[in-house]
């Protein structure tokens, strides 16, 4: 099969231009400016082994998915992109490709609950070992690495505590140990942050979130520069089969075209909400890297274009008070996931991070997480104000 989802590397085009045009070539037959949805399972071959454009079976490659994979690589400034059925499917493929029995991984002490569940309940059954570290502390990462460490896993900003990791510094630590640095870039999106340029080996995305942007598709992605690793990942992607379907790939491609303008508005609205929350008497702590007092603020300002649309905060009154704030919100929809155009509110301890209860990754019971959408900021502020006021 030809490498239908590689990219030649960084491009002199602006990000907005790349988001719209990379992988989106006009259809050669009809001239359609949007790549078609190739809702097809198999392809006519010109003789035995005579493949047209490298396509034989849509698990192995599909033109719509190939367009998305080329786009993903371009956005992250990488050489190879791979699209999966979900973010966890991407993570699963990556871990099965990189790790074997006896290998060790360092994971963050503030990781997405699904990622933690994958390590705690699935990966350990293969004989893979893992340990937890505060990845915002470079020395803590170095101390957690063992002779068996094959990968260091990072989320920045992290979910749900909005921790910031110095990607370049941790990349150096991982490189010295002979380990791969994996960065989950879901919260930032490639518009705000490009980990490969900072030394990461693999970028992971849940495309369900900001990449799709409209809460109507589930998908995952991996982006790498290393040709050998890309070949190995592509083999496992095909062998395991959890690929993005053509319609899902098309939806993500459609969403990506507006990613830059959406992320600008997400970040702008989040900034206004953070300003209100920091002054509200019932809010005890606001977690947002855009705040000067955030311990990772300087690093975030250095490695991110803006600070994003995710905000977490803690309220006085403990768990029940936090749940009540979630229940009273009206415009903020009570729901899991994030990154859509509509604003969401949730209680991580009982919802997205329930799987981490009782572990080193357990989140504070009084924590509320917001995915700030692109609605009128005044309307969002009014809704949060009434939800916080008793």
């Amino acid at each position: 099969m030809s490498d239908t989802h590689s990219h030649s590397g960084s491009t002199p085009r602006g990000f907005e231009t790349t988001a719209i045009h990379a992988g989106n070539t006009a259809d050669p037959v009809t001239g359609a400016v949007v790549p078609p949805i190739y809702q097809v399972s198999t392809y006519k071959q010109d003789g035995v082994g005579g493949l047209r454009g490298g396509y034989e079976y849509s698990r192995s490659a599909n033109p719509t998915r190939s367009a998305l994979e080329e786009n993903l690589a371009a956005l992250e400034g990488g050489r190879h992109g791979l699209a999966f059925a979900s973010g966890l499917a991407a993570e699963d493929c990556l871990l099965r490709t990189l790790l074997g029995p006896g290998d060790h991984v360092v994971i963050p002490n503030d990781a997405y609950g699904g990622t933690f569940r994958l390590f705690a309940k699935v990966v350990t059954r293969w004989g893979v070992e893992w340990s937890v570290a505060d990845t915002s502390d470079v020395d803590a990462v170095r101390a957690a690495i063992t002779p068996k460490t094959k990968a260091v896993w990072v989320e920045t900003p992290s979910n749900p505590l909005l921790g910031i990791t110095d990607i370049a510094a941790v990349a150096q630590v991982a490189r010295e140990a002979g380990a791969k640095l994996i960065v989950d870039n879901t919260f930032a999106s490639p518009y705000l942050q490009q980990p490969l340029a900072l030394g990461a080996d693999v970028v992971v995305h849940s495309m369900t979130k900001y990449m799709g942007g409209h809460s109507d598709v589930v998908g995952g992605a991996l982006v790498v520069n290393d040709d050998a690793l890309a070949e190995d990942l592509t083999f496992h992607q095909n062998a395991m089969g959890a690929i993005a379907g053509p319609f899902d790939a098309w939806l993500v491609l459609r969403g990506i075209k507006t990613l830059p303008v959406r992320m600008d508005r997400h970040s702008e609205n989040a900034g206004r909400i953070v300003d209100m929350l920091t002054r509200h008497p019932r809010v005890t702590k606001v977690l947002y890297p855009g705040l000067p007092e955030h311990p990772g603020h300087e690093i975030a300002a250095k490695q991110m274009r803006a600070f994003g649309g995710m905000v977490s905060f803690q309220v006085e009154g403990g768990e029940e008070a936090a749940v009540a704030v979630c229940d009273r919100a009206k415009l903020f929809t009570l729901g899991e996931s994030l990154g859509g155009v509509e604003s969401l509110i949730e209680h991580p301890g009982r919802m997205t991070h329930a799987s981490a209860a009782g572990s080193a990754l357990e989140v504070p019971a009084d924590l509320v997480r917001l995915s700030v959408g692109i609605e009128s900021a005044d309307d969002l502020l009014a809704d949060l104000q009434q939800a916080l006021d008793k």
Side-chain angles (χ1 to χ4, degrees), residues 219-280:
L222 300 174
V223 181
V224 301
N225 271 326
D226 184 272
D227 294 343
L229 177 57
E231 184 177 355
D232 207 4
L233 287 168
T234 300
F235 169 82
H236 281 84
Q237 180 192 40
N238 181 49
M240 295 165 65
I243 46 87
F247 185 47
D248 289 347
W250 185 88
L251 282 171
V252 176
L253 262 178
R254 185 175 186 268
I256 284 173
K257 291 179 181 181
T258 60
L259 177 66
V261 291
R262 286 188 286 107
M263 294 308 297
D264 283 341
R265 177 59 70 86
H266 285 301
S267 299
E268 179 184 336
N269 281 358
R272 289 193 58 188
I273 284 170
V274 165
D275 184 57
M276 182 273 282
L277 291 172
T278 56
R279 292 182 282 107
H280 198 285

Side-chain angles (χ1 to χ4, degrees), residues 86-321:
S86 69
L88 284 170
E91 294 184 9
D92 184 46
C93 179
L94 175 62
L95 294 177
R96 289 178 188 266
T97 301
L98 290 181
L99 305 175
D103 290 340
H104 173 261
V105 186
V106 178
I107 69 170
N109 64 348
D110 173 24
Y112 165 55
T115 299
F116 171 71
R117 182 176 59 232
L118 183 61
F119 278 100
K121 304 294 185 182
V122 180
V123 174
T124 51
R125 297 175 66 182
W126 320 338
V128 172
E129 301 171 1
W130 54 274
S131 57
V132 173
D134 177 0
T135 60
S136 68
D137 182 343
V138 178
D139 290 332
V141 174
R142 185 180 287 109
I145 290 175
T146 77
K148 295 181 178 180
T149 302
K150 292 293 176 64
V152 176
W153 192 286
V154 164
E155 291 179 16
T156 182
S158 65
N159 182 8
L161 301 181
L162 283 302
I164 297 296
T165 296
D166 187 331
I167 296 172
V170 173
Q172 180 63 30
V173 170
R175 193 176 304 113
E176 291 170 356
K180 301 286 189 188
L181 176 61
I182 301 161
V183 177
D184 184 334
N185 202 28
T186 298
F187 267 29
S189 87
Y191 178 64
L192 299 186
Q193 179 174 270
Q194 294 185 319
L196 294 178
L198 297 170
D201 296 289
V202 185
V203 175
V204 178
H205 281 284
S206 170
M207 299 190 300
T208 311
K209 314 311 196 288
Y210 287 110
M211 303 290 268
H214 293 78
S215 303
D216 56 8
V217 63
V218 173
L222 300 174
V223 181
V224 301
N225 271 326
D226 184 272
D227 294 343
L229 177 57
E231 184 177 355
D232 207 4
L233 287 168
T234 300
F235 169 82
H236 281 84
Q237 180 192 40
N238 181 49
M240 295 165 65
I243 46 87
F247 185 47
D248 289 347
W250 185 88
L251 282 171
V252 176
L253 262 178
R254 185 175 186 268
I256 284 173
K257 291 179 181 181
T258 60
L259 177 66
V261 291
R262 286 188 286 107
M263 294 308 297
D264 283 341
R265 177 59 70 86
H266 285 301
S267 299
E268 179 184 336
N269 281 358
R272 289 193 58 188
I273 284 170
V274 165
D275 184 57
M276 182 273 282
L277 291 172
T278 56
R279 292 182 282 107
H280 198 285
R282 291 198 61 216
V283 175
T284 58
K285 189 174 185 179
V286 181
L287 308 174
Y288 187 67
L291 287 170
E293 60 268 29
H294 187 289
H297 174 70
E298 289 187 9
I299 294 168
K302 180 176 65 175
Q303 67 187 22
M304 298 177 71
R305 185 193 302 251
F307 301 108
M310 298 302 299
V311 179
S312 292
F313 62 95
Q314 293 169 263
V315 295
E316 66 177 17
E319 181 173 3
E320 295 308 318

Side-chain angles (χ1 to χ4, degrees), residues 53-91:
Y55 298 103
E56 58 183 345
Y57 186 62
S58 276
R59 174 172 31 81
S60 303
N62 173 282
T64 313
R65 190 174 96 226
S66 295
L68 172 60
E69 290 174 327
E70 181 179 341
N71 185 274
L72 292 168
L75 293 182
E76 285 287 2
R79 288 177 52 79
H80 307 274
L82 298 94
F84 295 83
S86 69
L88 284 170
E91 294 184 9

